[in-house]
Amino acid sequence: MVFPHVNYLNYTFMDGGVLNCLNLGAAVAACREIADSDKDIYVDTIMDDYLENLAPVNADDDSAFSIFSRGMSIMSYYNGINLLLQAQEEFPDVNFRYTIRPTKALPDPTLPLGFKHDEIMTMIALGQSDATAAIQKGPGVSHKEVIEEIKKELKSLKRKAHHSVQASLKAKLKEEARKMYEDQVKRIEL
């Protein structure tokens, strides 16, 4: 973890970590040390992903760094949503009360944790707005909405990947068929 957990009033706050961006297992384990049962544990999750950041891009002119950065963003996104889904399955009796995702893109610093003051203030304002909206919906509602949204996103992305692979294979097959045809024509001409 980047920062140790903090106890404030009756709450424990934890940072997600560096490699494990959504370390709900460690959070639940820490709560189990003081709670009588999992039913006494409430998890509020703040995610830092925004799906639009993963929109398809044309990477033809990208540098190695931008391709690496894009890969890390995709990996982080999938890691976060998979960890949330796994935690829900792994801890069925834990109360997943509020799950908050940004409704707008967050500033994207070149270096991790290299935020400028205005970027931090923008993220805080968005977080407050998104948290207020989640709380107004009531306990459990935002979590269920995020889970459903994630499932739809994964289904859609799998479908897009499948279509992309099919299109690529068709293009390769057409190219191979064209080459075979040209070879046959050359043989006939000889």
Side-chain angles (χ1 to χ4, degrees):
M1 279 198 229
V2 176
F3 305 104
H5 71 275
V6 174
N7 292 315
Y8 178 74
L9 299 175
N10 291 328
Y11 301 97
T12 300
F13 298 94
M14 298 180 78
D15 173 48
V18 176
L19 296 176
N20 194 349
C21 63
L22 197 61
N23 198 351
L24 295 173
V28 171
C31 291
R32 283 177 168 167
E33 292 177 11
I34 56 173
D36 292 330
S37 78
D38 282 2
K39 292 180 188 227
D40 297 326
I41 299 173
Y42 290 81
V43 174
D44 297 330
T45 306
I46 302 172
M47 302 179 75
D48 64 356
D49 67 337
Y50 178 67
L51 181 62
E52 298 306 315
N53 288 345
L54 296 180
V57 297
N58 180 354
D60 291 345
D61 298 325
D62 281 358
S63 66
F65 179 77
S66 64
I67 293 170
F68 172 76
S69 180
R70 170 86 172 159
M72 292 301 290
S73 295
I74 292 168
M75 189 171 66
S76 175
Y77 173 77
Y78 283 111
N79 188 22
I81 61 175
N82 281 328
L83 290 170
L84 183 61
L85 291 171
Q86 287 172 358
Q88 182 179 319
E89 290 175 16
E90 195 173 323
F91 309 115
D93 293 330
V94 167
N95 297 288
F96 289 90
R97 189 170 50 181
Y98 300 108
T99 298
I100 302 162
R101 291 175 90 178
T103 53
K104 297 179 186 170
L106 299 174
D108 189 20
T110 304
L111 299 173
L113 303 177
F115 301 112
K116 297 176 184 143
H117 178 74
D118 60 328
E119 292 174 338
I120 292 171
M121 297 311 292
T122 298
M123 289 187 284
I124 289 172
L126 180 60
Q128 288 173 332
S129 172
D130 291 342
T132 299
I135 291 168
Q136 287 174 346
K137 291 177 183 177
V141 176
S142 65
H143 178 75
K144 288 176 184 164
E145 288 176 349
V146 168
I147 293 297
E148 288 306 311
E149 193 177 301
I150 286 171
K151 287 178 180 178
K152 285 179 188 175
E153 289 168 10
L154 289 174
K155 196 175 198 180
S156 172
L157 290 169
K158 285 178 186 176
R159 190 171 40 254
K160 287 177 186 176
H162 178 73
H163 290 303
S164 177
V165 168
Q166 280 185 328
S168 177
L169 286 174
K170 283 180 184 178
K172 285 185 182 262
L173 287 173
K174 283 182 182 179
E175 179 64 20
E176 287 181 25
R178 186 189 60 76
K179 286 181 182 179
M180 289 172 58
Y181 173 76
E182 288 174 357
D183 288 344
Q184 292 296 326
V185 169
K186 285 180 184 177
R187 287 187 188 147
I188 292 172
E189 290 175 354
L190 295 176

